[in-house]
């Protein structure tokens, strides 16, 4: 599993990974990731931290039976580590 250094966070606070980042995070080849994405086998969940975790996001990326999590600094998109 390869962790990206940063992820994009848009003006609404939504997290976006490139297809290349997502495929690397899941440990699959890009064409396989894209095929599964088109087939609806890939989805993500973003949780916003509260209390002691305020200012952090946890991104969970699912592909078939595999899931990977990232802990992200909400303001900068800097990846803090696996979540």
């Amino acid at each position: 599993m390869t962790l990206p250094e940063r992820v994009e966070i848009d003006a609404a606070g939504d997290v976006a990974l490139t297809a290349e980042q997502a495929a690397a995070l899941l440990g699959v080849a890009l064409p396989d990731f894209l095929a599964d994405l088109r087939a609806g086998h890939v989805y993500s969940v973003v949780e916003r931290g509260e209390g002691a975790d305020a200012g952090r996001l946890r991104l969970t990326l699912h592909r078939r039976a595999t899931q990977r999590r990232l802990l992200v600094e909400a303001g900068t998109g800097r990846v803090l580590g696996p979540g």
Side-chain angles (χ1 to χ4, degrees), residues 3-81:
L3 295 180
E5 290 183 27
R6 290 193 178 283
V7 296
E8 182 179 330
I9 299 180
D10 67 15
D14 294 323
V15 177
L17 290 174
T18 66
E20 291 82 2
Q21 286 175 319
L25 183 61
L26 291 166
V28 298
L30 183 58
D32 295 334
F33 172 78
L34 292 173
D36 280 348
L37 185 64
R38 285 190 288 276
H41 298 298
V42 177
Y43 68 96
S44 63
V45 176
V46 176
E47 299 168 271
R48 300 186 192 292
E50 297 179 1
D53 292 318
R56 294 182 179 173
L57 305 171
R58 182 168 58 193
L59 170 65
T60 306
L61 185 61
H62 299 265
R63 175 189 173 259
R64 297 180 178 266
T66 302
Q67 72 175 16
R68 298 288 187 262
R69 288 193 174 112
L70 291 178
L71 187 59
V72 177
E73 191 172 66
T76 66
R78 183 172 62 100
V79 173
L80 301 172

